[in-house]
Amino acid sequence: MANGPVAKGTAALAVEGLCAGYGGGDILHDVSFTVPDGGLTCIVGPNGAGKSTLLASISGLLRPRRGRVLLHGEPVTGKTPRQVLSLGVVHVPQQHSLFRDMTVAENIDLGGYTIRDRAVLARRRAAVHEMFPEVAGWAERKAGSLSGGQQRLVEFARGLMLDPSLIILDEPSMGLAPKVLRTVFGAVTAMNQAGKTVLLVEQNARAGLRLASHGVVLENGRVRLAGTGRDVLEHPGIGALYLGGTPGGPLASPVRSPLEGQANP
């Protein structure tokens, strides 16, 4: 898979000095990075690095102890998940979240539950079906009858019903067979190429970084590297730690994104 589109020069999302955790203990320690507008940013790191805590802090599921999150320059820290959603941030969780006894069409329409205009809802549904024609073919099937990979595509389609400006995907390849991964990653690329900014957390670090225009490595709740997807993928320390490569030296000075310091245009 080739690298994704080149990141644009503005930040759709900026995380600044984030400290967050549970029960009085911090999991994230002064985390800062940017998600370029129109790009595909992939976050990788070992289990326990703080990736899920980070996404919860961005989506409003967890209130950070310190720091802030900016969406297109406007603070969203402290807002409820519903308020964050209304601002155009859709979070597709790691675990499958479809209503299994409902049809695919019903599940997708639930993605637009805040849309009151039937004409707008119909246009969004048509746009989703155009992007994912296979999903349109499953419309009358019960969601629970679909395979894991098929359910993931329906979750993507449902998330697009609100025409979000930022799509957050938490481990979309989790639990899927290797032969299904190409389809799922192809769908991620299609959403990005359609103009959606994507923030991806991915256990398959090599595949995720190959897709990405921008990469971030979390380790022990801290950003260890940030740069282009290729920079992070080819860094010798990352290859040794996460990608099964040959050790090429310690993870020393971070590779910083050219967008660092541009969070407040």
Side-chain angles (χ1 to χ4, degrees), residues 9-245:
T10 59
L13 186 79
V15 176
E16 298 181 346
L18 212 62
C19 296
Y22 305 91
D26 283 343
I27 295 174
L28 301 178
H29 307 280
D30 196 29
V31 170
S32 298
F33 67 94
T34 55
V35 175
D37 190 23
L40 196 165
T41 297
C42 182
I43 300 176
V44 300
N47 291 336
K51 302 186 296 294
S52 294
T53 302
L54 173 61
L55 296 191
S57 299
I58 294 171
S59 300
L61 297 169
L62 178 66
R63 184 184 292 269
R65 184 178 63 80
R66 193 172 67 215
R68 63 178 185 166
V69 177
L70 304 173
L71 181 67
H72 301 295
E74 297 297 323
V76 297
T77 312
K79 294 186 182 298
T80 66
R82 186 183 180 92
Q83 289 172 326
V84 175
L85 179 66
S86 70
L87 293 172
V89 178
V90 166
H91 184 169
V92 179
Q94 180 183 124
Q95 302 299 324
H96 288 298
S97 56
L98 299 180
F99 292 93
R100 295 176 58 83
D101 292 331
M102 296 174 65
T103 67
V104 167
E106 290 168 337
N107 271 280
I108 290 176
D109 281 351
L110 280 176
Y113 74 99
T114 61
I115 301 173
R116 302 305 177 196
D117 189 321
R118 290 182 178 272
V120 172
L121 190 65
R123 286 197 298 271
R124 297 275 177 84
R125 189 187 302 115
V128 165
H129 287 169
E130 183 177 357
M131 181 176 293
F132 298 128
E134 60 270 69
V135 171
W138 306 329
E140 299 308 315
R141 292 180 58 180
K142 291 291 183 68
S145 72
L146 302 180
S147 68
Q150 290 171 332
Q151 289 188 45
R152 192 61 82 200
L153 295 185
V154 175
E155 288 172 324
F156 293 170
R158 182 181 62 184
L160 290 174
M161 286 294 290
L162 287 178
D163 192 22
S165 62
L166 174 66
I167 302 174
I168 299 175
L169 306 177
D170 187 3
E171 305 274 19
S173 71
M174 178 69 73
L176 301 182
K179 65 181 181 180
V180 182
L181 297 186
R182 185 176 296 274
T183 298
V184 170
F185 287 137
V188 174
T189 300
M191 291 189 289
N192 181 230
Q193 291 177 341
K196 301 302 180 185
T197 302
V198 177
L199 176 59
L200 167 70
V201 166
E202 181 49 52
Q203 60 163 351
N204 190 329
R206 191 182 300 276
L209 290 170
R210 282 175 176 164
L211 291 177
S213 58
H214 187 68
V216 177
V217 178
L218 273 186
E219 186 180 32
N220 296 324
R222 302 180 187 276
V223 174
R224 294 296 304 275
L225 287 176
T228 69
R230 183 175 295 277
D231 283 342
V232 176
L233 180 64
E234 294 180 352
H235 191 282
I238 293 302
L241 287 172
Y242 307 121
L243 307 179

